[in-house]
Amino acid sequence: MTAKQDMITQDLAGKIRHGIYTPKSFLPSENELANLYGASRNTVRKSLEDLTSLGLIQKIKGKGSIVLDFSRLSFPISRITTFNELNQSLGLKAETKLLEIKEVKKVPDDFSCDNTEPFIKVKRLRIIDGEPDVLDVDYISTKYVKEISPSVAEHSLYDYFENDLGLKISYAVKDVSVQTVSEELAKMLELDPDRKAVLVKSMVYLEDTSLFQLTASYHNPNRFRFIDFARRSKI
């Protein structure tokens, strides 16, 4: 993504989020957006593709890009997108509260992980518009990352992994389910009395197919929706 494309995506996402472009209204045409931002139509088109992937708009042939209902935040499931990247793309008023960093000998059994080396456990609470929305629990293989500082954990792990350590993060396998969580976690996320949270478990692999990271993300279902993009394919 170019800096210009990123700027256009962030600006349009912010305008949608703040109601400047309302649900069921159309964004300006590609030509109008290109003139508005001083960019090429190709750059504008890529920014619109970003907004489509985020579940903010739907492109209708012959009519343009219609704004979808943005009453809840949309998390892409089929991509490896960090919270910090979503924060920047959507212009959220978000903050990260670091709860824990420590080395652990093993990960929870429900991950079915065969790795024998220790992991660094990073536990973080994501707060948006002053409300606790996501609890992320990451387990990072010490085979590839020896230490993680609090400042890195509060900012962006992937920025550190990719830009400082030069790791090539390639793909992830994800599992989404609804779980009844502990009273402590339910209180932390301000869940309903039934203590139901959406759990997204991810197993992240490097370019050489080595298992690198395990993540359990607990989402408040009242404030988030999850999106994917699928094309019709005949088997």
Side-chain angles (χ1 to χ4, degrees):
M1 180 186 294
T2 65
K4 192 74 170 183
Q5 178 187 339
D6 184 49
M7 183 275 291
I8 296 171
T9 301
Q10 289 188 42
D11 189 63
L12 289 174
K15 288 176 178 176
I16 293 171
R17 175 170 167 74
H18 292 101
I20 296 173
Y21 297 124
T22 58
K24 297 186 179 179
S25 69
F26 282 88
L27 295 181
S29 69
E30 289 184 4
N31 282 335
E32 290 172 327
L33 290 172
N35 291 330
L36 176 64
Y37 291 107
S40 67
R41 282 192 62 185
N42 186 54
T43 298
V44 167
R45 191 173 295 116
K46 289 180 178 178
S47 291
L48 295 177
E49 290 172 359
D50 293 339
L51 298 177
T52 301
S53 297
L54 289 168
L56 301 183
I57 65 170
Q58 173 66 40
K59 298 187 75 174
I60 300 177
K61 188 174 182 179
K63 292 186 176 181
S65 301
I66 191 170
V67 177
L68 301 180
D69 186 3
F70 191 55
S71 59
R72 291 183 290 176
L73 296 176
S74 303
F75 269 68
I77 289 296
S78 60
R79 293 185 297 158
I80 304 177
T81 303
T82 69
F83 183 84
N84 188 58
E85 290 166 343
L86 282 175
N87 185 17
Q88 292 179 350
S89 295
L90 296 177
L92 307 178
K93 294 179 180 178
E95 59 180 298
T96 294
K97 182 178 181 182
L98 178 62
L99 303 178
E100 181 181 32
I101 300 181
K102 69 176 183 180
E103 186 174 298
V104 296
K105 297 298 183 182
K106 59 179 295 186
V107 299
D109 293 337
D110 57 353
F111 271 111
S112 301
C113 172
D114 296 328
N115 288 33
T116 57
E117 70 275 357
F119 287 78
I120 300 175
K121 178 182 178 182
V122 180
K123 187 175 181 180
R124 296 172 292 176
L125 182 65
R126 313 298 197 166
I127 301 170
I128 301 176
D129 293 332
E131 297 182 323
D133 286 293
V134 187
L135 178 69
D136 282 333
V137 185
D138 295 285
Y139 298 90
I140 314 299
S141 171
T142 55
K143 181 178 180 180
Y144 303 99
V145 179
K146 302 305 180 185
E147 62 179 359
I148 297 173
S149 69
S151 61
V152 165
E154 290 172 349
H155 175 56
S156 172
L157 290 179
Y158 273 35
D159 182 60
Y160 173 60
F161 296 155
E162 295 177 319
N163 297 324
D164 291 359
L165 300 185
L167 295 172
K168 303 294 185 182
I169 298 169
S170 182
Y171 64 95
V173 177
K174 299 187 180 185
D175 178 84
V176 183
S177 61
V178 176
Q179 302 279 343
T180 300
V181 301
S182 67
E183 291 185 7
E184 178 185 6
L185 199 156
K187 184 178 180 180
M188 193 178 300
L189 287 177
E190 300 179 357
L191 299 179
D192 292 337
D194 62 6
R195 305 198 332 252
K196 297 291 187 182
V198 178
L199 171 60
V200 181
K201 293 194 299 183
S202 304
M203 301 180 70
V204 183
Y205 295 82
L206 298 177
E207 202 171 47
D208 65 358
T209 73
S210 298
L211 179 62
F212 164 68
Q213 175 189 10
L214 304 166
T215 299
S217 293
Y218 298 88
H219 298 252
N220 186 319
N222 294 325
R223 293 195 280 267
F224 282 85
R225 66 189 172 99
F226 300 85
I227 63 170
D228 198 0
F229 178 79
R231 288 190 182 277
R232 167 83 170 105
S233 178
K234 295 183 179 180
I235 298 175

